[in-house]
Amino acid sequence: MFTYTVSVTTGNQEFAGTIDYVYLTLVGTERRSDRTLLDKSFFDRFARGAVVSIDVSVKETLGDILLVKLEKEKFLFNDQWYCRCISVKTPSGYEIEFPCYRWIANKQEVVLRDGKARLPQDEKNSLLKEHRRMELESRQQLFRWKEWHPGFPMSIDADSSNELPLDIQFELDKSVDFNLNFLTA
C-alpha cells in the first residue's frame, strides 16, 4: 500500500469556502488514483482559509505525479469555492505544489499541473502535452476579441463583466472601490 498525503488550501477571500462535495484524483506517469472525496467533517470542510489534509491510499505506486483533478458537486445549494493550492506529499517524502488560484463552480472539473515553469517545447510527457493543448483551446474559446469601433484597440467579446469567468472578474472589494472612485471623479 502506498499513501499520498494531499493538502488542499482554500483562499482567504470573502465567500471562498464551500460546503459542497469536492473530489480529487491524482494522475501519475504509471496510473491514476481512484476518485477520492475530500471530507473531514461538515463544519471543518473547506472553510475560508482552511487547509484540509487527507491521505490517498493506492495499491500500486502512481509513478511521478503529473496532474491533480478536482471536481465539485452540489451539496445543498450551488456555491463557488476558491481553491488556492494543493500540495501532494509522495510516499518517498517528495512534496509537489499544484497552484490553483481560481474559483470552481458546481459540476466543474479542474485539472492542475505542478507549479514548475516549462516551455511547451521542453515538455517531455505526452499526457502533459495533451493537457497543455486542451487548456490552450479552452482559453481561446473563453477569451475572444471583438472590434468595438474601427480604429480602436480590440476589446474582449463580452457584454458585461458578469459574462466573464469569476477568476478574472473584479472581486467585490475592488468593484466597490472602483465605483466609489468613478463617482468621485
Side-chain angles (χ1 to χ4, degrees), residues 83-100:
C83 178
R84 193 173 129 237
C85 67
I86 296 173
S87 175
V88 178
K89 188 172 184 179
T90 65
S92 63
Y94 184 67
E95 197 160 330
I96 309 160
E97 292 288 326
F98 293 86
C100 186

Side-chain angles (χ1 to χ4, degrees), residues 43-60:
F43 296 104
D44 202 21
R45 182 171 44 195
F46 306 111
R48 178 178 161 192
V51 178
V52 173
S53 293
I54 192 165
D55 289 337
V56 176
S57 296
V58 294
K59 292 180 182 172
E60 299 179 77

Side-chain angles (χ1 to χ4, degrees), residues 8 23 28 38 46 62 75 92 95 99 101 106 116 123-124 127 135 144 155 158 164 168-169 176 180 182:
V8 180
Y23 296 91
L38 301 176
F46 306 111
L62 303 176
F75 175 65
S92 63
E95 197 160 330
Y101 298 104
N106 192 36
K116 295 179 184 172
E123 204 67 78
K124 304 283 187 249
L127 182 64
E135 189 175 42
R144 298 170 317 279
S155 63
L164 301 173
I168 63 169
Q169 290 181 15
V176 169
L180 286 175
F182 178 75

